[in-house]
Amino acid sequence: QKEVEQDPGPLSVPEGAIVSLNCTYSNSAFQYFMWYRQYSRKGPELLMYTYSSGNKEDGRFTAQVDKSSKYISLFIRDSQPSDSATYLCAMTGNTGKLIFGQGTTLQVKP
Amino acid sequence: SAVISQKPSRDICQRGTSLTIQCQVDSQVTMMFWYRQQPGQSLTLIATANQGSEATYESGFVIDKFPISRPNLTFSTLTVSNMSPEDSSIYLCSVDKGAPNTEAFFGQGTRLTVV
């Protein structure tokens, strides 16, 4: 079993839809949770990070962490075609070693 | 944030040869990381490069295959040695601006194809 599980998709939605991206994990030592966006032929770009459980909002993006369920989510409101990319979750504990999910490919259609 | 320049951006290499990838950061950082991203897969950490000491390799990666240099706090190289088609992948350099590694920034990657 992988430490971090993420549905690779692809996920296709119409412009303006609310997008929900999710990851589950097995290691209870994880405390820091991140979401990266990766456009084709580019390196991953840090979108958001949260510490422990709770919500964090930044513009159209909301990250949620539920440590009791070992489940994290990224919500994108009013999705735009420019949001089309691969979204990677990542997490780490005190070791500092980042463990990535497989990534979910999102396509937002105009 | 951090600006990371990685060279080359892509290359096509013959099997049995070696390729050295360079990573330059616009500020001094303690740790630099090298990742591999195989087609359709997530990022896998190859090694952590600290200035002034040998790199620390993850399980499944060895120094003879992926020698790393870290001559100063803004620069590192990764060499992919004796390449085979299985080494075809994207190689990414990363630096950490947070603690512990909570704000990792990546270069644009090197897309390597071995023929």
Side-chain angles (χ1 to χ4, degrees):
Chain A
Q1 183 188 5
K2 295 179 182 177
E3 278 191 285
V4 179
E5 298 276 0
Q6 184 177 9
D7 186 342
L11 179 63
S12 181
V13 301
E15 183 175 355
I18 296 175
V19 176
S20 173
L21 304 167
N22 311 293
C23 289
T24 60
Y25 63 95
S26 58
N27 190 341
S28 58
F30 289 149
Q31 299 179 65
Y32 299 87
F33 304 90
M34 285 136 281
W35 286 96
Y36 287 84
R37 178 175 61 197
Q38 186 175 23
Y39 291 114
S40 180
R41 302 184 184 280
K42 299 288 187 182
E45 168 195 13
L46 179 64
L47 270 180
M48 298 186 72
Y49 88 91
T50 53
Y51 171 69
S52 194
S53 287
N55 294 357
K56 186 172 184 178
E57 187 173 323
D58 184 3
R60 296 185 295 110
F61 298 90
T62 299
Q64 285 187 350
V65 175
D66 182 348
K67 289 192 71 179
S68 63
S69 301
K70 297 188 177 68
Y71 188 88
I72 70 170
S73 300
L74 177 71
F75 298 97
I76 307 174
R77 291 184 298 280
D78 187 24
S79 56
Q80 303 295 309
S82 60
D83 295 327
S84 299
T86 296
Y87 290 80
L88 298 143
C89 65
M91 48 200 77
T92 185
N94 289 327
T95 65
K97 178 181 174 182
L98 280 176
I99 307 297
F100 284 85
Q102 187 176 350
T104 299
T105 299
L106 170 67
Q107 183 179 20
V108 181
K109 296 184 176 181
Chain B
S1 66
V3 177
I4 303 169
S5 300
Q6 199 173 327
K7 292 192 291 187
S9 59
R10 62 190 307 159
D11 208 341
I12 300 173
C13 300
Q14 296 290 324
R15 69 173 67 200
T17 63
S18 298
L19 176 71
T20 296
I21 303 167
Q22 298 179 4
C23 180
Q24 179 76 51
V25 190
D26 67 340
S27 58
Q28 294 184 340
V29 292
T30 303
M31 290 193 290
M32 297 178 75
F33 305 87
W34 288 98
Y35 287 85
R36 181 174 71 183
Q37 187 175 28
Q38 293 179 306
Q41 302 293 317
S42 187
L43 281 73
T44 301
L45 181 63
I46 297 171
T48 303
N50 295 322
Q51 194 267 338
S53 63
E54 278 196 6
T56 303
Y57 289 83
E58 297 298 309
S59 175
F61 298 96
V62 295
I63 188 171
D64 289 346
K65 177 67 176 176
F66 297 101
I68 288 171
S69 76
R70 182 79 201 274
N72 57 51
L73 291 174
T74 63
F75 187 79
S76 178
T77 67
L78 169 76
T79 298
V80 186
S81 303
N82 189 24
M83 288 183 285
S84 66
E86 291 71 35
D87 295 319
S88 297
S89 187
I90 299 172
Y91 292 86
L92 292 149
C93 170
S94 171
V95 303
D96 167 28
K97 298 295 283 185
N101 203 13
T102 55
E103 295 187 69
F105 296 89
F106 288 84
Q108 81 275 20
T110 297
R111 184 176 296 268
L112 171 63
T113 302
V114 183
V115 296

